[in-house]
Amino acid sequence: SLGVDESASLQLVTTMVEQLSEAALALFRATPFSDIPETTEDYFNLVERAVETAPSYIIGMPSFPYVVQAAVAALEVNHYHAQMSVIYFWTQILSPTKRHIRLMRENRSALQVTPASPAGRAPPASPASPLRQRRRSVRPDTYPVEHVVELCSKHGFDLTVKLMHGLMRNFDHEAVSAAADTLASLAAVISDGPAVAKAQYDSPPLATMCEWEQAMLSQIPEANFPAADKQAFMSELAEYIQARQWPKIKALVSDTAAVFRRRNATKN
């Protein structure tokens, strides 16, 4: 558990972030992100570091759902450093959540396959392995997995559309890898998170990301993205989600975006 001094310090950080967020969100509602790229960059850098330092505190802020909404909209900013600050904010939200969901599933599976001892005797104590120690140190019980999953369920479609649009059209080339990784992490969170949040650890991955991608791709004219290519993309995406091959989703998205950009480089 946290000491009194540490808890007070984290609460102070949270209060500061809340106050800054109130002012920043008011500005973002009134001004296009591309008109204030430096403010966008500074704000999301701040919140990203605050989430890294005190995830339960920051993600639990009453204003955090509005921060998430702003972070979806801010992906349209046309400034490289501001783009990266927003993408890194999403990385700081989604990557730890993906990791905690995986550990929760793995730990549950390990408990289920532990063989029973004969004659009711307690099994001999085994020395703690480095892996087991690392898993305990992650403290999934203290990480706001359910809250992040809820936010992703609510805002994930809009986030998917913004990320795909940026990857295929307007993200800086240097931002593509990080953005594709963010989309792969979102796929992991939304595929396994809702079941894990309900302690349903053996459920297969949900098809939510496939539904979101299908809806997004349906808005792209065939002249820009042929139907056969869309079908091939969706087939691979579904395969990788069911196999929980999240790195392959990153590669699939990156490659698809690169082909799309090349094909449409001379088109309006």
Side-chain angles (χ1 to χ4, degrees), residues 14-28:
T14 305
T15 301
M16 179 192 71
V17 172
E18 281 218 82
Q19 291 172 347
L20 289 171
S21 294
E22 183 178 350
L25 292 172
L27 178 61
F28 295 154

Side-chain angles (χ1 to χ4, degrees), residues 5 14 17 25 29 41 83 107 132 180 183 244 251:
D5 290 344
T14 305
V17 172
L25 292 172
R29 283 191 291 269
E41 178 186 354
Q83 280 178 7
N107 289 342
R132 204 171 291 136
L183 193 60
R244 295 186 172 94

